[in-house]
Amino acid sequence: MTTAAPVERRVPEAVHRRRWAILGVLMLSLLIVVLDNSILNVAIKTISTPEPTGLGATQSELEWAINSYTLVFAGLLFSAGLLGDRLGRKKVLLAGLAVFGIGSALAAESGSPVQLIAFRAVMGLGAAFVMPATLAVLMNVFERDEQPKAIGIWAGGVGLAIAIGPITGGVLLDHFWWGSVFLVNVPIVILALALMIWLVPDSRDPNPGRIDPIGVVLSVVGLVLLVYGIIKGGQLADFTDPTVLASTGAGLVVLALFVVFEKRSDHPSIDMSYFGNKIFSAAISVIALVFFALMGVTFFSVFYTQSVRGYTPLQTGLLMLPLAAAQMIFAPRARLVVDRFGIKATTTAAMVVIAAMLAAFAGLEADTPIWILEVIFFLMGTGMAHIMTPTSVVIMQALPREKAGSASALSNTFRQVGGALGIAVLGSVLSASYRDAIQDKLTLLPAGVRHTAGESIEATLGMAARLGPEGKALVSPANDAFLHAMHVTALWGSGVAVIGAIVVALFLPGKQPAPQAEEKEAELVAAEN
């Protein structure tokens, strides 16, 4: 009797033995990056209040505080992935974490919204080197048969960060000043650096690509111009303004030049040939669409819970717990659903659930029972878990192991770009809809401050507070105008999610016919022969 040949292992035994400990360190590094954005979501209302409580940031400045991080992050991700492939993923991880920690300390001491925006960009620079390297290291310490499970746990770590972030932010804001939400990153960075030096092995691509500085500049400039135009349009409530049209038009032209340049380059930042694979393209697109809808909705939901409903930052963090809990519960198990029903059925159903939950926001009022919001958040988190894990596996396994950094960077680039555009577009829809609904009620205010007061609910309520008793007449109209704007914005987000459902239904593969059983049968036949 002959026995089957042992499965070939590519990972060294010493690394294989400590792979789960390494995954834990990678998840800690990932947690820091994701934690920062989820903490900021709770803090944006506090930062928008006048000094000394906050910085008095306008809604457009808040959008830039989020997007300065996101755009630098997204613009540099691919080059960061290539640098990791070339110099070593561990070295890049350590450098990225150090820069992120320094940026966090500086952001905590910001004296103005402009400084906060600048230091958030520094944090984005560090995060760009952390995110792709974590997934690239994961792909090099786990064998292919364990990668889906490891990626599921890695995705669950995102859910953990989303859960911890708002609650941590709420606790900090209840006891300390707004800058504490950034300063909390520093001790976590120090711990992660120490563990990484001790545990994580280095790896690199034996044939790394060349850095593409022209492509990086074109992509960042194009995205910044496009996002600036969109946010400016929302701020002015006029998307036909010459400045808005010039900025968005220039952004689109530069991004078109970026695509042309990448196609002709012999060392592109983004290899456009990857997108010839419709499955890969669909998975990447869906990630962008999901985050477009989700980031925009998260942005306005904080103002709904704190400004309209009157909850504290800590209570708001607790209200978001079902969204994160669902991701933590279901992300590691999503592969089981995919095994049973296939990627197409799983992700299409998940996108439909997300679209329905976004539409449900259009039914929320000032006195809606809060448990309804909790159900919406839980189902949104469930949908996210059944999209992120399957699509991440599709993307990471579509390219060779040696290109893990590139695949991770592409995935995260599209996620961050989708999120940035979601905040810009849906934030602008929110701002423009709010201004349209409130402008007739601002006659109580001096003419010189009406435009600023109409930009957001926080701006209106801030001006109303300065008026004293007379300003109380603005509170109810401001709440009504915000609810109207939230309903409009939610329906826009739902429409984007519907487009995502159509994309996955058309292009992602259906259920595969038990490939594992076929492989095992082939191995047995080979062994008998």
Side-chain angles (χ1 to χ4, degrees):
M1 178 178 175
T2 57
T3 57
V7 178
E8 181 186 354
R9 295 285 176 184
R10 297 185 181 181
V11 179
E13 181 60 30
V15 174
H16 182 73
R17 281 199 305 269
R18 64 178 192 268
R19 64 195 185 283
W20 298 109
I22 293 169
L23 178 60
V25 179
L26 296 177
M27 287 177 63
L28 180 62
S29 306
L30 177 72
L31 182 140
I32 300 167
V33 175
V34 180
L35 184 78
D36 177 72
N37 269 341
S38 59
I39 284 181
L40 184 61
N41 285 335
V42 175
I44 53 177
K45 179 183 180 296
T46 304
I47 294 171
S48 71
T49 57
E51 296 185 70
T53 304
L55 291 175
T58 65
Q59 182 160 309
S60 60
E61 287 171 337
L62 288 174
E63 291 175 37
W64 275 114
I66 296 172
N67 280 343
S68 64
Y69 173 94
T70 302
L71 291 174
V72 172
F73 190 3
L76 295 178
L77 265 175
F78 207 89
S79 290
L82 286 174
L83 277 175
D85 291 343
R86 176 183 290 272
L87 302 177
R89 281 94 184 218
K90 180 176 181 176
K91 297 182 185 70
V92 165
L93 258 175
L94 292 171
L97 279 172
V99 171
F100 185 86
I102 293 167
S104 297
L106 292 171
E109 300 299 328
S110 298
S112 68
V114 173
Q115 286 185 11
L116 178 61
I117 290 167
F119 293 139
R120 287 277 296 161
V122 174
M123 293 171 68
L125 172 64
F129 288 87
V130 172
M131 181 72 87
T134 60
L135 202 47
V137 170
L138 181 155
M139 299 297 285
N140 279 275
V141 299
F142 284 91
E143 298 293 350
R144 193 170 183 86
D145 58 339
E146 283 189 322
Q147 285 173 6
K149 181 180 180 181
I151 290 174
I153 295 172
W154 181 86
V158 176
L160 177 65
I162 293 172
I164 294 173
I167 297 170
T168 304
V171 171
L172 290 170
L173 291 171
D174 274 3
H175 294 88
F176 304 102
W177 94 115
W178 64 266
S180 61
V181 302
F182 298 112
L183 198 60
V184 72
N185 292 331
V186 176
I188 306 175
V189 165
I190 294 170
L191 175 62
L193 286 171
L195 290 173
M196 196 170 295
I197 291 170
W198 177 35
L199 282 173
V200 175
D202 208 354
S203 63
R204 65 183 70 196
D205 185 346
N207 298 298
R210 290 161 56 195
I211 305 302
D212 175 28
I214 296 176
V216 171
V217 171
L218 287 174
S219 63
V220 173
V221 170
L223 285 170
V224 168
L225 286 171
L226 178 62
V227 169
Y228 174 80
I230 294 169
I231 292 176
K232 191 69 176 177
Q235 182 184 0
L236 299 174
D238 181 8
F239 289 93
T240 62
D241 180 84
T243 303
V244 174
L245 292 176
S247 179
T248 52
L252 291 172
V253 169
V254 173
L255 289 174
L257 289 174
F258 167 73
V259 173
V260 171
F261 179 82
E262 295 300 283
K263 282 185 175 180
R264 295 181 177 179
S265 174
D266 58 358
H267 57 286
S269 287
I270 296 178
D271 189 338
M272 295 296 170
S273 65
Y274 295 156
F275 296 94
N277 181 332
K278 67 179 182 180
I279 295 174
F280 180 85
S281 297
I284 283 278
S285 300
V286 167
I287 284 179
L289 291 171
V290 167
F291 273 81
F292 180 102
L294 188 72
M295 291 296 288
V297 169
T298 304
F299 185 78
F300 70 64
S301 66
V302 171
F303 289 100
Y304 171 70
T305 55
Q306 293 187 37
S307 299
V308 176
R309 302 299 295 259
Y311 289 102
T312 65
L314 176 56
Q315 289 170 329
T316 297
L318 292 170
L319 288 173
M320 290 184 173
L321 197 55
L323 177 68
Q327 289 195 55
M328 289 173 59
I329 292 167
F330 294 111
R333 296 170 175 82
R335 61 193 175 85
L336 304 176
V337 181
V338 171
D339 288 345
R340 180 164 184 180
F341 299 104
I343 291 177
K344 182 194 292 283
T346 302
T347 52
T348 301
M351 287 299 300
V352 170
V353 168
I354 288 178
M357 292 307 101
L358 291 172
F361 268 95
L364 296 179
E365 300 293 345
D367 57 353
T368 300
I370 203 65
W371 65 265
I372 294 178
L373 179 64
E374 298 298 88
V375 171
I376 292 172
F377 276 149
F378 184 81
L379 291 175
M380 284 181 69
T382 303
M384 283 285 294
H386 288 90
I387 292 167
M388 294 308 299
T389 301
T391 52
S392 294
V393 172
V394 167
I395 291 165
M396 294 304 293
Q397 293 191 346
L399 301 181
R401 176 195 292 257
E402 293 76 20
K403 302 298 181 184
S406 300
S408 173
L410 266 174
S411 174
N412 284 291
T413 296
F414 274 72
R415 174 160 57 185
Q416 296 301 325
V417 169
L421 290 176
I423 291 169
V425 173
L426 297 184
S428 295
V429 171
L430 182 75
S431 184
S433 301
Y434 179 80
R435 187 183 293 280
D436 286 345
I438 195 66
Q439 61 184 358
D440 293 341
K441 308 294 191 301
L442 297 178
T443 52
L444 288 172
L445 299 174
V449 299
R450 289 175 192 170
H451 182 83
T452 301
E455 186 175 333
S456 68
I457 184 172
E458 279 305 304
T460 305
L461 295 178
M463 291 294 180
R466 294 181 190 177
L467 288 178
E470 295 179 6
K472 290 183 179 179
L474 276 176
V475 174
S476 181
N479 286 341
D480 291 342
F482 177 82
L483 287 170
H484 164 74
M486 183 180 80
H487 296 163
V488 172
T489 307
L491 292 175
W492 272 65
S494 180
V496 171
V498 168
I499 294 172
I502 293 170
V503 169
V504 294
L506 289 176
F507 298 112
L508 288 191
K511 187 177 180 182
Q512 302 299 313
Q516 292 180 345
E518 292 177 4
E519 288 173 7
K520 287 179 181 177
E521 184 179 349
E523 287 176 9
L524 288 173
V525 170
E528 289 172 1
N529 294 334

